[in-house]
Amino acid sequence: MLRNFLILIVGLYANALMSQLKSPYEYYNYNYGENFIYHHDVIDYMNYLAENSPYIKLENYGYSEEHRPLVLLYISTPENLQKLEEIRTKHFSNIENGKLADADVPAIVWFSFGVHGNEAGATNSAIEVSYLYAQPDESRKQDLTNTILILDPCLNPDGYSRYVNWTNQVQGEEIHPGLNDIEHQEPWPYGRVNHYLFDLNRDWAWLTQVESRQRIKVYNQWMPEVHVDFHEMYPNDHYYFAPAAEPYHSVIMDYQRKFQETIGMGNAEAFDREGWLYFTREVFDLLYPSYGDTYPLMNGSIGMTYEKAGHGMSGRAILLDNKDTLFLKDRIEQHTTAALATLHTTAQNSDFLKSQFYRFFDSKQSSDKTIFNGYLIKNGPNLESLAKLMDLQGIKTYAVNASENLSGYSYFNDRNQSFKTEPGDMFIPSGQRKSKLLQALMDINPKLSDSLTYDITAWSLPLAYGLEAYGIAGSLNYGSEWKCQHHENQSIQEDVYAVTFEWGSEESYRVLAELLSQGFQARYAQKSVKYDVDIDRGDILITRWDNRSVEDFAKRLQFILRDVNYKTLKSGWSNEGKDMGGSAFKLIKKPEVLLAVGDGTSNNEVGQVWYYFEKILNYELSRMDFKKIDGTVLANFNTLILAEGSYDLSNGKMDEIEKWISNGGKLIVIGSAIRPFANAEKIFGIRKKEFPSGKDSVSVKELEKNRFEDAERNSIASSMPGAIIGNVVDNSNPMSLGLGDYYFSLKTDKDSYKFLNEGWNAIYTNENLNVKGFIGSKLLPTFKNSLTYGFQNKGNGSVIYMVDNPLYRGFWKQGELIFSNSLFFVQ
């Protein structure tokens, strides 16, 4: 009796609190639904709901790069919220058992809003959704009884704030739906991207950004059954919700396909009642593993993207092609409706969903069997970086403690072959909770049920990290969980002759950058040499003689080298090769670097260079709007980087850059930034290869195949969504030191270039293309016998051509070696 009385009192108190809850229309004093809400005001309202509604608990799970709070709302019945940790524990017990052993667990649903900051209608929709669940009607109360809703109102606070702060500053009192108003002309670098200009919706698997890493930590603590990623798209499109388009990655299960249909039909019913147009099974596929729909799918969830017309160009209102006007309130209303319908459908079908979800983790299922029982990764410079990523993803890795002769599928050679394990290697077993995600990340050549795809079609981690790897079908002896190596170096004495360390890891790049920043002189080995220790090509050498003016040389050097294994040398006399004072070692010139930014540059690619300098190298980088860069500015730098973009080199700018190069400057041009230099044939030595021209006439048979309705599908033959291509390497070239004889490059652009006649072709393709992923049949031949990376000397300076972006999305780790070589070694 007493318990029931207390429940009644709590319920009456909760109802009294909720009756006083202010809606967002009442809470905000600047017209919610008509104007975009500032990020700090979004967070304030979420705190207000959590403090005043028993249906909501709020957790601050971290901070963005610009120190804005990242929060989650846990939304359910008061009874469920009181035993939240107990529910989570039971949920994971079911996951570990691979079955619904304890049915007294609500389904876990996760809503993510605003991963792209300028798709601001999404985050504004999160406000309305949270309010409706903060004081739910009877139907929504029943839905919350069967579910725990975890709601992230803004995954990208910095990008969202960049957009909202700008649009609220420039908008007038009157709404201007036509495009000819500043409200529809969002400036560079746009709010879509985060602080470092990364697209966070491509970072779920790679976790390069601080927002992604903090979110995945909490995500892995909950492993929801349903995840919805709320987006916006161009204003004339109709609402999109699942089921998705083909291709689906092969690890996605049948129940996930079917439940997407179930959710989709529930959403359709809600939209049909309103007469709203929508579409499914088009455009948005489920192949690339690093999206907010595919990543959850590869972790057992029903991962889905929802897209509403809006986007940064829409402002508060925009005139559509059908002469209707799309208002911000329309965007909020449709996202809110889809969110409510999705939770309702999940709650109605939660028993089926839970049983299937937990079976996803049952390793005894025949459908869970992979080609390999595990993956053997040979020790190499990027192994620790890979181990850190696997740890962040919750994938267990183990140390190999003994030598053993085995056979397996070679990632580098694309065939089964014999190999030998050695202490220091890593083994990743397939039979673990994250087996499907592991299989997807290691997939060397994903199967495409449809070549019409939204993103890159190959990404295999061993190739991205440049690590020799083998898929093993049999068994292997391995030891304890992998631990990152602790560097136990000997002390450096004041009378040391020289110190050397290996080149090729993130730590080695950062150490060299710190050495140069601290005023040390360093050299790199152009050839392998044997002294009392062996030095390989590319290794870094610091001699006492070069640094005789450095105070406390040994003490300071030992501190800087704390993150790498180093060796000390007693003499410059070689046992094999050149003496230390000869031609084997070249002095490294300290780079003074300027990066072009602003209109015409690609924000993502500019951000990747910026991130590399700040987070990988920790090295000074200046950035300037390309329009303001002239000869006077360039005189302060010895290195200029043009990331991908469309550059205007008219009005004498080309001449100023050429003169600066001839006087000793180093120009690094990446991807599409090469195009204007290829057009300046009399000045620069790079030439673009022409795409094969069409025939003068076509046959009737060919015309019959080329139907208008098939235009998009026929264009696939000339498409380049993104694929991996094998390259031959001149391993003596300073651009490619440490790469070995072969390099797998991620190609995302249609452009191809001829070999340099007056320059050095460091990395290139030959007649026998080795392709992972999809490249259109008409485009494929143009990539044969093509330059990928090279440089030419011009006067006292040099021009470095990077046809493929070596820093792509921050996860192509072996590309960092090429960029670091180009920055420090090429003169």
Side-chain angles (χ1 to χ4, degrees), residues 345-364:
T345 303
T346 302
Q348 294 292 306
N349 297 275
S350 62
D351 289 342
F352 170 78
L353 173 63
K354 288 185 293 184
S355 66
Q356 294 299 308
F357 174 79
Y358 294 128
R359 287 186 68 233
F360 180 91
F361 301 98
D362 180 6
S363 60
K364 297 177 182 178

Side-chain angles (χ1 to χ4, degrees), residues 130-186:
S130 301
Y131 168 70
L132 291 174
Y133 284 121
Q135 53 172 19
D137 59 19
E138 288 305 315
S139 175
R140 288 192 279 275
K141 282 182 184 177
Q142 187 59 45
D143 291 344
L144 293 178
T145 300
N146 295 328
T147 60
I148 303 287
L149 172 59
I150 303 173
L151 187 149
D152 190 330
C154 189
L155 278 69
N156 181 7
D158 299 343
Y160 178 81
S161 296
R162 186 186 302 125
Y163 174 74
V164 171
N165 292 347
W166 166 79
T167 193
N168 283 348
Q169 287 173 349
V170 302
Q171 68 188 27
E173 291 186 6
E174 296 295 324
I175 288 177
H176 294 268
L179 285 174
N180 295 321
D181 186 82
I182 192 171
E183 186 174 344
H184 306 289
Q185 298 164 7
E186 184 187 1

Side-chain angles (χ1 to χ4, degrees), residues 455-575:
D455 211 291
I456 62 173
T457 59
W459 52 78
S460 183
L461 283 180
L463 305 188
Y465 280 67
L467 291 167
E468 184 182 349
Y470 298 89
I472 299 175
S475 60
L476 179 146
N477 294 318
Y478 57 90
S480 59
E481 288 193 31
W482 174 271
K483 303 287 185 185
C484 289
Q485 296 180 3
H486 177 67
H487 303 293
E488 296 181 357
N489 291 309
Q490 63 190 81
S491 62
I492 299 175
Q493 303 301 316
E494 285 295 336
D495 62 350
V496 69
Y497 190 85
V499 179
T500 183
F501 63 88
E502 292 182 4
W503 183 247
S505 65
E506 277 190 16
E507 292 76 16
S508 67
Y509 314 146
R510 192 177 302 119
V511 165
L512 176 58
E514 187 174 356
L515 285 167
L516 298 178
S517 296
Q518 294 294 325
F520 282 78
Q521 300 294 325
R523 298 175 183 267
Y524 74 90
Q526 300 185 94
K527 298 179 180 180
S528 296
V529 190
K530 292 182 182 294
Y531 300 96
D532 45 336
V533 299
D534 293 349
I535 297 180
D536 292 327
R537 267 199 187 112
D539 288 355
I540 306 300
L541 182 75
I542 308 101
T543 68
R544 181 159 53 93
W545 176 257
D546 279 333
N547 295 281
R548 56 194 183 278
S549 63
V550 176
E551 294 185 8
D552 296 323
F553 167 71
K555 183 179 179 181
R556 289 177 60 196
L557 180 60
Q558 184 164 333
F559 177 76
I560 293 173
L561 300 184
R562 62 194 178 277
D563 290 331
V564 294
N565 287 319
Y566 60 80
K567 300 172 184 176
T568 58
L569 294 96
K570 300 176 182 178
S571 171
W573 178 269
S574 69
N575 298 322

